[in-house]
Amino acid sequence: AQTVTQSQPEMSVQEAETVTLSCTYDTSESDYYLFWYKQPPSRQMILVIRQEAYKQQNATENRFSVNFQKAAKSFSLKISDSQLGDAAMYFCAYRKVGNQFYFGTGTSLTVIP
Amino acid sequence: GAGVSQTPSNKVTEKGKYVELRCDPISGHTALYWYRQSLGQGPEFLIYFQGTGAADDSGLPNDRFFAVRPEGSVSTLKIQRTERGDSAVYLCASSPMPQETQYFGPGTRLLVL
């Protein structure tokens, strides 16, 4: 079975500071994808960043980067220079090739002005 | 181009009634997914279509839930004899191919009284 665990239900960060959101997952597969999605109050799930498991290099998208530790099955998201618009629920998700997503329970991020 | 759209955005119904939720995927996307998101939880997979056929319906909770995608584009999730426990946000996502990133719609919030 695949499970995704986000151990931080809530996090807060001062504007312009850096925050790291944690995610661990359980799988017996060697080939899969990992994602971070952002869900603001509008409910729209927005892709933040994606990582292919076969790539050793950590994915980066502007202020967002991941620390992917395949052996440890860990996939944390780092948000640098946090902005007020970053406030949202963040979901970590796992997907086996060609299959559906498994989502964590989410981390609610508050950005303090 | 236009993103994934879902209608209605909110639906209130009475216990025992039948409801239909509609999803319009991004044009050209062959894969379509339905998820259910209960309060405080991450989305849970329900069903996945590749073209017109349901490639994986293992997430449907029981036979009251059914989904169709007759022409390989628009999909309808149908819930018979609704129960209060069906209250949730129902999310739809589409992707160009199954292994590609999923793009989510804004969801339909269903409330069963």
Side-chain angles (χ1 to χ4, degrees):
Chain A
Q2 287 81 209
T3 60
V4 179
T5 301
Q6 293 180 252
S7 59
Q8 306 154 317
E10 297 178 349
M11 291 283 284
S12 62
V13 61
Q14 205 76 31
E15 194 176 4
E17 297 294 310
T18 295
V19 64
T20 298
L21 308 185
S22 300
C23 174
T24 58
Y25 58 95
D26 183 29
T27 184
S28 57
E29 302 291 329
S30 60
D31 192 13
Y32 50 87
Y33 299 87
L34 296 164
F35 302 79
W36 279 97
Y37 276 88
K38 168 185 175 181
Q39 187 178 44
S42 66
R43 299 198 307 248
Q44 185 94 39
M45 296 279 280
I46 302 165
L47 177 67
V48 175
I49 200 164
R50 156 188 167 135
Q51 174 83 44
E52 290 88 349
Y54 65 85
K55 290 186 177 179
Q56 293 187 340
Q57 187 174 5
N58 289 326
T60 299
E61 279 295 331
N62 301 314
R63 297 182 295 107
F64 299 87
S65 62
V66 298
N67 183 6
F68 173 45
Q69 301 289 328
K70 190 172 184 179
K73 296 179 184 175
S74 170
F75 183 61
S76 61
L77 174 70
K78 185 171 83 171
I79 306 174
S80 304
D81 184 26
S82 296
Q83 300 175 359
L84 295 177
D86 294 335
M89 282 292 288
Y90 285 81
F91 290 97
C92 177
Y94 161 99
R95 191 170 100 178
K96 193 170 67 170
V97 173
N99 212 327
Q100 73 269 21
F101 277 43
Y102 297 89
F103 286 86
T105 51
T107 296
S108 177
L109 179 65
T110 300
V111 180
I112 303 165
Chain B
V4 178
S5 63
Q6 292 186 246
T7 54
S9 106
N10 294 281
K11 175 72 177 177
V12 180
T13 191
E14 293 179 346
K15 180 174 177 298
K17 299 288 188 183
Y18 167 83
V19 296
E20 288 189 352
L21 311 179
R22 177 187 167 108
C23 172
D24 281 83
I26 293 172
S27 177
H29 281 196
T30 61
L32 185 146
Y33 301 75
W34 282 100
Y35 295 86
R36 179 168 69 175
Q37 187 176 21
S38 300
L39 193 63
Q41 300 295 316
E44 271 185 295
F45 168 79
L46 293 176
I47 186 170
Y48 147 56
F49 287 89
Q50 178 57 35
T52 60
D56 184 349
D57 64 357
S58 61
L60 294 177
N62 51 60
D63 62 6
R64 294 186 299 106
F65 289 75
F66 189 70
V68 296
R69 194 185 186 201
E71 297 178 358
S73 178
V74 170
S75 177
T76 305
L77 178 65
K78 307 180 182 194
I79 311 174
Q80 298 177 321
R81 304 183 304 280
T82 51
E83 299 178 358
R84 293 194 179 91
D86 298 335
S87 297
V89 173
Y90 289 81
L91 295 168
C92 175
S94 71
S95 65
M97 293 292 287
Q99 61 268 31
E100 296 294 325
T101 297
Q102 295 183 12
Y103 297 88
F104 284 80
T108 294
R109 184 181 300 278
L110 175 66
L111 178 60
V112 182
L113 300 176

